[in-house]
Amino acid sequence: MLKVAVIGTGFIGSVHARNVARHPGVELAAVNDANFEFAKKAAAATGAEAVADVEEIFDNKNIEAVVIATPTNTHVDYLTRAAKAGKAIYCEKPIGLDYQEAEKAVSSVRETGVPVMLGFNRRFDASHAAVKQAVAKGEVGKVEIVQLTNRGPQPPPIEYVKVSGGQMRDQTIHFFDLLRWLTNDEPVEIYAIGGALVSAAIGEAGDVDTSIVSLRMASGALCQIDSSRRAAYGYDERIEVFGSDGMVESRRQNFRGMALYKGRTVIEDGMYPGWFERIESSYYQALDAFLQSVNQGTEPSPSLEDGLRAQLMADQATESLRTGRAIKLPA
Amino acid sequence: MLKVAVIGTGFIGSVHARNVARHPGVELAAVNDANFEFAKKAAAATGAEAVADVEEIFDNKNIEAVVIATPTNTHVDYLTRAAKAGKAIYCEKPIGLDYQEAEKAVSSVRETGVPVMLGFNRRFDASHAAVKQAVAKGEVGKVEIVQLTNRGPQPPPIEYVKVSGGQMRDQTIHFFDLLRWLTNDEPVEIYAIGGALVSAAIGEAGDVDTSIVSLRMASGALCQIDSSRRAAYGYDERIEVFGSDGMVESRRQNFRGMALYKGRTVIEDGMYPGWFERIESSYYQALDAFLQSVNQGTEPSPSLEDGLRAQLMADQATESLRTGRAIKLPA
Amino acid sequence: MLKVAVIGTGFIGSVHARNVARHPGVELAAVNDANFEFAKKAAAATGAEAVADVEEIFDNKNIEAVVIATPTNTHVDYLTRAAKAGKAIYCEKPIGLDYQEAEKAVSSVRETGVPVMLGFNRRFDASHAAVKQAVAKGEVGKVEIVQLTNRGPQPPPIEYVKVSGGQMRDQTIHFFDLLRWLTNDEPVEIYAIGGALVSAAIGEAGDVDTSIVSLRMASGALCQIDSSRRAAYGYDERIEVFGSDGMVESRRQNFRGMALYKGRTVIEDGMYPGWFERIESSYYQALDAFLQSVNQGTEPSPSLEDGLRAQLMADQATESLRTGRAIKLPA
Amino acid sequence: MLKVAVIGTGFIGSVHARNVARHPGVELAAVNDANFEFAKKAAAATGAEAVADVEEIFDNKNIEAVVIATPTNTHVDYLTRAAKAGKAIYCEKPIGLDYQEAEKAVSSVRETGVPVMLGFNRRFDASHAAVKQAVAKGEVGKVEIVQLTNRGPQPPPIEYVKVSGGQMRDQTIHFFDLLRWLTNDEPVEIYAIGGALVSAAIGEAGDVDTSIVSLRMASGALCQIDSSRRAAYGYDERIEVFGSDGMVESRRQNFRGMALYKGRTVIEDGMYPGWFERIESSYYQALDAFLQSVNQGTEPSPSLEDGLRAQLMADQATESLRTGRAIKLPA
């Protein structure tokens, strides 16, 4: 029985704790949170031990793996300490708030040789994964256009936005990662436009809430990503990969299968109300992939390197937003 | 240039006249209607000659083919006379009001040897035809369940209903034909239930406006047909063929491709408002098949025999409605 | 903390045990199975106590509610004993193998006054429940046609079929219940045709694997139910309620949202491979409704009475299958 | 009876000729083409007179309106001459090959005061028009993101590409017009990336066949347009307008309604094979709008001004493709 601890038991940390607890062949040994009440609550729900001092987790030789789900500004610290303690690590995205900080952390973690998986869970959504598989099998031929949509459902609190690093680093970063993963390719040109169309407060904080990023990949493929902090009709996430032989998509999905035919219309159930309902199951799949890597001694994927790359793209897109100019990168 | 005349230029006759007029390699030579004003109107719209006396058409040796689109109670008369005059005939369904009358007419027409096609135009709807083709290719394996839906949009005038022969003979007959065609099989058992749920007047006239027919085919396949004279959401026609290896359907089709995402719903455009909009294009395809048969000297299909079979099924279903008993037929 | 025991920990019993275990405010106190190894396995997965003798459960005053998920032929026995012991009961459908046995059991259970809910879980499927809600709100007006489809994915083992009471009592019974629930109405006429189109062994056992049931309800509404033991494309369950003002459906649902556009086709992900994946979440919702009833002292629904009614319909449909005649019932 | 002539009877000119011929209340008086054989063919199909010298049309006082469907490089010439002759004009897009030429022509046409409609027929597609109507009614609130897709089915001949003015002026121009029309807004920033991913010959001719254009509108709304000269799965055109209150789309439309359920997939009919099949009906609707304007003496729309604006956007996008820089425009 692999013993696992979860550090950080806010919303997503609690999801991870429950998933560890129900995963066969694994034991949720301990949970920790800067707010001990949160840890106790997660412990009660899962049967794990609540630990007040995270050092107990790092010192416990029986705990082989940790999930880091703390606020972004603490990732680098926990990541470094957990790596030094020799733990296998599942770390929520992003690695850090800026690329420099993240790169330094990655260097130091690499020296320890511990396996690390970065929490780009969307790769594990069943429909997205089926798209990736179709592309990898060559079903659409050579990739030419990728279209990624992510919207809503509502802006986070302005306090969160202020420390989030901006829409590119906080929200769009998932799609920078999906783009690299889907195409197995790297960007050579990034251009972004955006505005604070949803919330004046977001604009005053120097951020955008609505944006379009255009990218050219080394292969010549073109990509567009549209992001919005608010979709009045629920959470809307969509992937489309168009190539020389066809097109494959991960479609919008209605939250139920009811439809009402009235007058001149068909009224269907709409989107999932929130992002979590839409992609909830991908968290378990991501954790499962991590645990398999740990058990089999294989390299986890998405890797820290993937995290760095997406972070760099987010920085470059932020720079383009600021300057109004396309950023050209070496192929 | 094959010269064609259209006899009966009411709603559907006018559609046939326009289709003949725009069909390449064919000339619409003459149009006739018991109401000469109707004939003149159709003539003006197509450039054909309006003929007051139908005998002129039968006597005209240059006219090789006729389309009969007169009221049902005159079909047998025109059919017999056109056959005697040696014309190739496209005749609107049904052959007659009852099976006995129809069978007698068919015998007399057969003696003349003229080619006759019966206007079961739904066989020529592109989606229905694709279903037939898939079934014929064995895509669904051995057929086990057929489900046919036909609804609305609103009841015909009660005067029409009174002389129509009833819902089975007037409306459901198209689907009796589709069933035989799709399965290449014949019924051995028919059971029908129905009621006047839409219109009390239809009930008082001894007819039903809502019904379900269950059939067992010689192969063992089972079928259900639901018919309604009124669908509040437009015209709804659907085919589903389920077999040992899969299922194929001709789906409900929205009349446009607009969709609005609001709140917790997706509001799509609905069904076509009327049956004609939904199946309009099949009339041209049916006419085209008829003209090809005439030109190539092949046997037109659907044949008079198909017309008789469907008429018999309609009579039996009407009998089952009346008695509440299943009608068993020899395999 | 309401203490609950699960009796019978085969496939569905284990599902119930897991659901009780993860339901907040409830404790899974004990599990029992005629095969003690099964009970121990369920206990290990949930942290409950495995109990070798079911009497320990009935005798334990701390256990207020039981879930009965044993084989059908033992339902009446456990139901009666649990009722005498004063437990609230969630009982898997059907009540018994035939109506007489079931009715006797229901009489004796009623004398005890314990709350009993029958496990017609499909009522709790989110999409089906949305259809019910739309109908109840009058969205489709007066109900005229109900169409229910349930197919596949593959026949159960022939040993199971032989003791199942036949397709009507084992499979179609869920849809008899759905029909009554959706329409809030009772049947006055039942007619069924069927055959052993999938499995000769099922035919030799005197049962059918493919069937169509036609029903007329007291209100005049008509209904058709098609059932098949095998759908080559996964599990296919569908509801359609057509009324004077529109139509509402619980649609086929693809198991994922991937679609591939190639050549002249769009290749979508298909149905869920099995019935359990399709309706899994309804088991938790059903249990939740039961627990709410117990906590609030309200009458659970679906009730034993609902179970009896569906069982009677299944008996009548079986009789119609046998005789080829429609069964007329008093309105 | 308004008398109309069609000048240029290639593919699209012949479509216009047929549409004029079947439009009630209008007479197709004459057809002309630089290649007289083409004119004779169109005349035979419609009953109009084939005219060898276009001056006969301009001189004929009975002809009040002309449709110009000649090659792009002759538009300005015919437009100017037809205007001088006092004809009402329906002119195929674009006005000319470059903005300067077009602007000069527009000035000279305006002096004559004749009504001119520019052939941006996509505005008249039923689904697109329903999107426009929904946006105009405020169904989606304030527009924030517009996404336009137009792909395939295959590249035109390289000779055509060489004189077409490039992908922006020849293909994407329709979508520049749709964008202005849908948003009732003007661009303030345009950025385009593209490549010759489909055809090396197109690249050698200095053009692109795959491109993404990003635009910011004066209102702040953002837009992305992806264009490809080849979609392996048919013709793919799609509109999506996302706003503060919801989203509305003109969806991909399958060419038929057949679907086959096999194994783990649903195989639907795909897209229309070509652009013409998809938008054919919009040509008649556009012509109808033109004829109504002429009859009622109202200003036709889309106007020459609309043509100029779209042409300017195409020039700017072409400039961005060339320089790799965003083009900023005064709001």
Side-chain angles (χ1 to χ4, degrees):
Chain A
M1 285 292 257
L2 184 75
K3 285 182 200 300
V4 180
V6 171
I7 303 171
T9 53
F11 180 71
I12 280 303
S14 298
V15 171
H16 286 304
R18 282 198 302 272
N19 285 341
V20 173
R22 73 185 172 102
H23 196 289
V26 182
E27 184 191 328
L28 179 64
V31 291
N32 164 266
D33 195 280
N35 182 331
F36 192 48
E37 292 310 308
F38 280 27
K40 284 195 281 188
K41 213 169 140 191
T46 57
E49 185 191 359
V51 166
D53 181 356
V54 71
E55 284 302 323
E56 285 186 48
I57 289 172
F58 294 141
D59 290 347
N60 185 337
K61 295 299 166 204
N62 292 324
I63 295 175
E64 292 176 63
V66 297
V67 173
I68 299 174
T70 56
T72 297
N73 59 347
T74 66
H75 283 183
V76 160
D77 179 42
Y78 284 115
L79 197 52
T80 318
R81 288 158 71 189
K84 267 193 202 132
K87 311 300 185 196
I89 305 169
Y90 180 103
C91 182
E92 266 301 325
K93 60 97 240 179
I95 301 175
L97 279 176
D98 71 60
Y99 182 74
Q100 276 70 27
E101 180 196 46
E103 202 179 28
K104 230 170 65 184
V106 169
S107 296
S108 116
V109 169
R110 270 185 198 135
E111 284 167 18
T112 67
V114 300
V116 184
M117 177 162 149
L118 208 69
F120 284 128
N121 58 295
R122 271 167 179 80
R123 291 193 186 189
F124 297 91
D125 175 75
S127 301
H128 295 357
V131 166
K132 163 71 179 177
Q133 196 179 5
V135 172
K137 278 175 60 186
E139 293 279 14
V140 300
K142 197 170 156 297
V143 173
E144 294 170 353
I145 298 174
V146 179
Q147 194 169 289
L148 303 174
T149 293
N150 74 102
R151 301 174 187 158
Q154 56 265 328
I158 187 68
E159 289 68 32
Y160 175 89
V161 169
K162 282 178 179 166
V163 299
S164 71
Q167 190 179 36
M168 295 299 116
R169 293 184 183 102
D170 184 61
Q171 180 185 0
T172 313
I173 194 167
H174 275 295
F175 298 83
F176 291 135
D177 179 64
L178 287 181
L179 174 59
R180 292 182 59 248
W181 172 66
L182 287 165
T183 59
N184 205 21
D185 199 359
E186 301 291 340
V188 294
E189 199 175 328
I190 298 182
Y191 174 77
I193 49 175
L197 307 183
V198 173
S199 154
I202 288 178
E204 285 155 20
D207 197 3
V208 299
D209 51 38
T210 308
S211 60
I212 286 178
V213 186
S214 304
L215 302 105
R216 189 198 304 272
M217 308 301 282
S219 69
L222 309 177
C223 173
Q224 53 191 8
I225 307 176
D226 73 278
S227 306
S228 169
R229 287 288 196 184
R230 186 257 296 108
Y233 53 94
Y235 180 67
D236 184 357
E237 175 168 328
R238 215 172 70 84
I239 288 175
E240 184 177 315
V241 182
F242 169 85
S244 53
D245 293 342
M247 193 256 289
V248 61
E249 64 182 359
S250 174
R251 293 179 167 179
R252 289 184 178 104
Q253 291 176 37
N254 293 350
F255 80 102
R256 276 188 322 211
M258 194 266 274
L260 178 63
Y261 296 64
K262 296 268 287 188
R264 302 295 302 276
T265 60
V266 183
I267 305 167
E268 292 183 359
D269 286 319
M271 307 289 97
Y272 287 88
W275 60 269
F276 183 66
E277 290 91 335
R278 170 63 186 81
I279 60 162
E280 178 176 5
S281 62
S282 66
Y283 284 99
Y284 185 85
Q285 298 304 325
L287 178 76
D288 182 61
F290 169 67
L291 294 172
Q292 282 191 34
S293 288
V294 173
N295 279 327
Q296 298 165 9
T298 56
E299 189 66 25
S301 171
S303 66
L304 278 177
E305 184 67 26
D306 291 320
L308 278 182
R309 291 285 190 148
Q311 200 139 12
L312 187 57
M313 291 166 76
D315 281 10
Q316 290 161 340
T318 304
E319 170 78 359
S320 177
L321 275 176
R322 197 179 59 78
T323 62
R325 298 230 300 265
I327 311 287
K328 314 267 172 164
L329 313 163
Chain B
M1 285 292 259
L2 183 76
K3 284 183 202 296
V4 180
V6 172
I7 303 170
T9 53
F11 180 72
I12 280 302
S14 297
V15 170
H16 287 303
R18 281 199 303 271
N19 285 340
V20 173
R22 73 185 172 103
H23 195 289
V26 182
E27 185 189 327
L28 180 65
V31 290
N32 165 265
D33 195 281
N35 182 332
F36 192 47
E37 293 309 309
F38 281 25
K40 284 196 282 187
K41 212 170 139 191
T46 56
E49 185 191 358
V51 165
D53 182 356
V54 71
E55 285 301 323
E56 286 186 49
I57 288 171
F58 295 141
D59 290 347
N60 185 335
K61 295 298 167 205
N62 291 323
I63 294 176
E64 293 176 64
V66 297
V67 174
I68 299 173
T70 56
T72 297
N73 59 347
T74 66
H75 284 183
V76 161
D77 179 41
Y78 284 115
L79 198 52
T80 318
R81 290 158 71 192
K84 267 192 203 133
K87 311 299 186 199
I89 304 169
Y90 179 106
C91 182
E92 267 301 325
K93 59 99 240 178
I95 300 173
L97 279 176
D98 71 61
Y99 182 75
Q100 276 68 27
E101 179 196 49
E103 200 178 30
K104 229 172 63 187
V106 168
S107 297
S108 117
V109 169
R110 271 186 197 134
E111 285 167 18
T112 67
V114 300
V116 184
M117 175 161 149
L118 209 70
F120 284 129
N121 57 295
R122 272 167 179 82
R123 292 193 186 190
F124 297 90
D125 175 75
S127 303
H128 295 358
V131 166
K132 164 70 179 176
Q133 196 179 4
V135 173
K137 278 174 61 185
E139 292 280 14
V140 301
K142 196 167 156 299
V143 173
E144 293 171 353
I145 299 174
V146 179
Q147 194 169 290
L148 302 173
T149 293
N150 74 102
R151 301 175 186 158
Q154 56 265 327
I158 187 66
E159 289 70 31
Y160 176 90
V161 169
K162 283 177 178 165
V163 298
S164 71
Q167 188 179 36
M168 294 299 114
R169 293 184 182 101
D170 183 61
Q171 180 185 0
T172 312
I173 193 168
H174 275 295
F175 298 83
F176 291 134
D177 179 64
L178 286 182
L179 175 60
R180 291 182 61 249
W181 172 66
L182 287 166
T183 58
N184 205 22
D185 199 359
E186 301 290 341
V188 294
E189 197 174 329
I190 297 182
Y191 174 77
I193 49 175
L197 307 184
V198 174
S199 154
I202 288 178
E204 284 154 22
D207 197 2
V208 298
D209 50 38
T210 308
S211 60
I212 286 178
V213 185
S214 304
L215 303 104
R216 190 197 304 271
M217 309 301 284
S219 68
L222 309 177
C223 173
Q224 54 191 8
I225 307 177
D226 74 279
S227 306
S228 168
R229 287 288 195 184
R230 185 255 297 108
Y233 54 95
Y235 180 66
D236 183 359
E237 174 167 330
R238 215 172 70 85
I239 289 176
E240 185 177 314
V241 183
F242 170 86
S244 53
D245 294 342
M247 192 258 288
V248 61
E249 63 182 0
S250 174
R251 294 180 166 177
R252 289 184 176 105
Q253 292 176 38
N254 293 349
F255 80 102
R256 274 186 326 209
M258 195 266 275
L260 176 63
Y261 295 64
K262 298 266 290 188
R264 301 296 302 275
T265 59
V266 182
I267 305 166
E268 292 184 0
D269 286 318
M271 308 289 97
Y272 286 87
W275 60 270
F276 182 66
E277 291 91 334
R278 169 64 186 81
I279 59 161
E280 178 176 7
S281 61
S282 67
Y283 284 99
Y284 184 85
Q285 299 304 325
L287 177 75
D288 182 63
F290 170 66
L291 294 172
Q292 282 190 35
S293 289
V294 173
N295 279 327
Q296 298 164 10
T298 57
E299 189 67 27
S301 171
S303 66
L304 277 177
E305 184 68 28
D306 292 320
L308 277 182
R309 291 287 189 145
Q311 200 139 13
L312 186 57
M313 289 166 77
D315 280 12
Q316 291 161 339
T318 304
E319 171 79 0
S320 178
L321 275 177
R322 197 180 58 79
T323 62
R325 298 233 299 265
I327 310 287
K328 315 265 172 165
L329 314 163
Chain C
M1 284 292 258
L2 184 76
K3 285 182 201 298
V4 180
V6 171
I7 303 170
T9 52
F11 181 71
I12 280 303
S14 298
V15 170
H16 287 303
R18 280 199 303 271
N19 285 341
V20 173
R22 74 186 172 102
H23 196 289
V26 183
E27 184 191 327
L28 179 64
V31 291
N32 165 266
D33 196 280
N35 181 333
F36 192 47
E37 293 308 309
F38 281 27
K40 284 196 280 187
K41 211 169 142 192
T46 56
E49 186 191 356
V51 165
D53 181 357
V54 72
E55 284 302 324
E56 287 185 48
I57 289 172
F58 295 140
D59 291 347
N60 186 336
K61 295 299 166 205
N62 293 323
I63 295 176
E64 293 176 63
V66 297
V67 174
I68 299 173
T70 56
T72 296
N73 59 348
T74 67
H75 284 184
V76 160
D77 178 42
Y78 284 115
L79 197 52
T80 318
R81 288 158 72 190
K84 267 192 205 134
K87 311 299 185 198
I89 305 169
Y90 180 105
C91 182
E92 267 300 326
K93 60 97 241 181
I95 301 174
L97 279 176
D98 71 60
Y99 182 75
Q100 276 69 26
E101 179 197 46
E103 202 179 28
K104 230 172 63 186
V106 168
S107 297
S108 116
V109 169
R110 271 187 198 134
E111 285 166 18
T112 68
V114 300
V116 184
M117 176 163 150
L118 208 70
F120 284 128
N121 58 295
R122 271 165 179 83
R123 291 193 186 190
F124 297 90
D125 176 75
S127 302
H128 295 358
V131 167
K132 164 69 179 176
Q133 196 180 5
V135 173
K137 278 174 59 186
E139 293 279 14
V140 302
K142 197 169 157 297
V143 173
E144 293 170 354
I145 298 174
V146 180
Q147 194 170 290
L148 303 172
T149 293
N150 73 102
R151 301 174 186 159
Q154 56 264 329
I158 187 66
E159 288 71 30
Y160 176 91
V161 169
K162 282 177 178 165
V163 299
S164 72
Q167 188 178 39
M168 294 299 115
R169 294 184 183 102
D170 183 61
Q171 180 184 0
T172 313
I173 194 168
H174 276 295
F175 298 83
F176 291 135
D177 179 65
L178 286 181
L179 175 60
R180 292 181 60 249
W181 172 67
L182 287 166
T183 58
N184 206 22
D185 199 0
E186 301 292 340
V188 294
E189 196 175 330
I190 297 183
Y191 174 77
I193 48 175
L197 307 183
V198 173
S199 154
I202 288 178
E204 285 156 20
D207 196 4
V208 299
D209 50 39
T210 308
S211 60
I212 287 178
V213 185
S214 304
L215 302 105
R216 190 197 304 271
M217 308 302 283
S219 68
L222 308 177
C223 173
Q224 53 191 7
I225 307 176
D226 74 279
S227 306
S228 169
R229 288 288 197 184
R230 186 257 295 108
Y233 54 94
Y235 180 67
D236 184 358
E237 174 166 329
R238 214 172 72 85
I239 288 175
E240 185 176 314
V241 183
F242 170 85
S244 54
D245 293 342
M247 192 256 290
V248 60
E249 64 182 0
S250 174
R251 294 180 165 177
R252 289 185 177 105
Q253 292 177 37
N254 292 349
F255 79 102
R256 275 188 323 209
M258 195 268 273
L260 177 63
Y261 296 64
K262 297 266 292 189
R264 302 296 302 276
T265 60
V266 183
I267 306 166
E268 292 183 359
D269 285 318
M271 307 289 96
Y272 286 86
W275 60 270
F276 183 66
E277 290 91 334
R278 169 63 187 81
I279 59 162
E280 177 176 5
S281 62
S282 67
Y283 284 99
Y284 185 85
Q285 298 304 325
L287 177 75
D288 181 62
F290 170 65
L291 295 173
Q292 282 191 35
S293 289
V294 173
N295 279 326
Q296 298 164 10
T298 57
E299 189 67 26
S301 171
S303 67
L304 278 177
E305 185 66 27
D306 291 320
L308 278 183
R309 291 285 190 148
Q311 200 138 12
L312 187 58
M313 290 166 77
D315 280 11
Q316 291 160 339
T318 304
E319 171 78 359
S320 177
L321 275 177
R322 197 180 58 78
T323 62
R325 297 232 299 266
I327 311 288
K328 314 266 173 166
L329 314 164
Chain D
M1 284 293 257
L2 183 76
K3 285 182 201 297
V4 180
V6 172
I7 303 170
T9 53
F11 180 71
I12 280 303
S14 299
V15 170
H16 287 303
R18 282 199 302 271
N19 285 341
V20 172
R22 72 185 172 102
H23 196 288
V26 182
E27 183 191 329
L28 179 64
V31 290
N32 164 264
D33 195 282
N35 182 332
F36 192 48
E37 293 308 308
F38 280 26
K40 284 197 283 188
K41 213 170 139 191
T46 56
E49 184 191 0
V51 165
D53 181 356
V54 71
E55 283 302 322
E56 285 186 50
I57 288 172
F58 295 140
D59 290 347
N60 186 336
K61 295 301 166 203
N62 292 325
I63 294 176
E64 292 176 64
V66 297
V67 173
I68 299 174
T70 57
T72 296
N73 60 345
T74 67
H75 284 182
V76 161
D77 179 41
Y78 284 115
L79 197 52
T80 317
R81 288 158 71 190
K84 267 193 202 132
K87 310 300 186 198
I89 305 169
Y90 179 105
C91 183
E92 267 300 327
K93 59 97 244 184
I95 302 174
L97 278 176
D98 70 61
Y99 182 75
Q100 276 69 27
E101 182 197 45
E103 200 179 30
K104 230 170 66 185
V106 168
S107 297
S108 116
V109 169
R110 270 184 198 137
E111 284 167 18
T112 67
V114 300
V116 184
M117 176 161 149
L118 208 70
F120 284 128
N121 58 295
R122 271 167 179 81
R123 291 193 186 190
F124 297 91
D125 175 76
S127 302
H128 296 357
V131 167
K132 163 72 179 175
Q133 197 178 3
V135 173
K137 278 175 60 187
E139 293 279 15
V140 300
K142 197 169 155 297
V143 174
E144 293 170 353
I145 299 174
V146 179
Q147 193 169 291
L148 303 173
T149 292
N150 74 102
R151 302 174 187 159
Q154 57 264 328
I158 187 68
E159 289 70 31
Y160 176 89
V161 169
K162 282 178 178 165
V163 300
S164 72
Q167 189 179 35
M168 294 300 114
R169 293 184 184 99
D170 183 61
Q171 181 184 0
T172 312
I173 194 167
H174 276 294
F175 298 83
F176 291 134
D177 179 64
L178 287 181
L179 174 59
R180 291 182 60 249
W181 172 67
L182 288 166
T183 59
N184 205 21
D185 199 359
E186 301 291 340
V188 293
E189 198 175 328
I190 298 183
Y191 174 77
I193 48 174
L197 307 184
V198 174
S199 153
I202 287 178
E204 284 156 20
D207 196 3
V208 298
D209 50 38
T210 308
S211 60
I212 286 178
V213 185
S214 304
L215 302 104
R216 190 198 304 273
M217 309 301 282
S219 69
L222 309 177
C223 172
Q224 53 191 8
I225 307 176
D226 74 277
S227 306
S228 167
R229 288 288 196 185
R230 185 254 298 107
Y233 54 94
Y235 180 67
D236 184 358
E237 176 167 328
R238 214 172 72 85
I239 287 176
E240 185 177 314
V241 182
F242 171 85
S244 54
D245 294 343
M247 194 258 288
V248 61
E249 64 181 2
S250 174
R251 292 180 166 177
R252 290 186 176 103
Q253 292 176 37
N254 293 349
F255 79 104
R256 275 187 325 209
M258 194 267 275
L260 177 62
Y261 296 64
K262 297 266 290 189
R264 301 296 302 273
T265 61
V266 183
I267 305 167
E268 292 184 359
D269 285 319
M271 306 290 97
Y272 287 88
W275 60 269
F276 182 66
E277 290 91 336
R278 168 64 186 80
I279 59 163
E280 178 175 7
S281 62
S282 67
Y283 284 100
Y284 185 85
Q285 298 304 326
L287 178 76
D288 182 62
F290 170 67
L291 295 172
Q292 282 191 35
S293 289
V294 172
N295 279 327
Q296 298 166 9
T298 56
E299 189 68 26
S301 172
S303 67
L304 278 176
E305 184 67 27
D306 291 320
L308 277 182
R309 291 286 190 145
Q311 199 138 13
L312 187 57
M313 289 166 77
D315 281 11
Q316 290 161 340
T318 305
E319 171 78 359
S320 177
L321 275 177
R322 196 180 59 77
T323 62
R325 298 232 299 265
I327 311 287
K328 314 267 171 163
L329 313 163

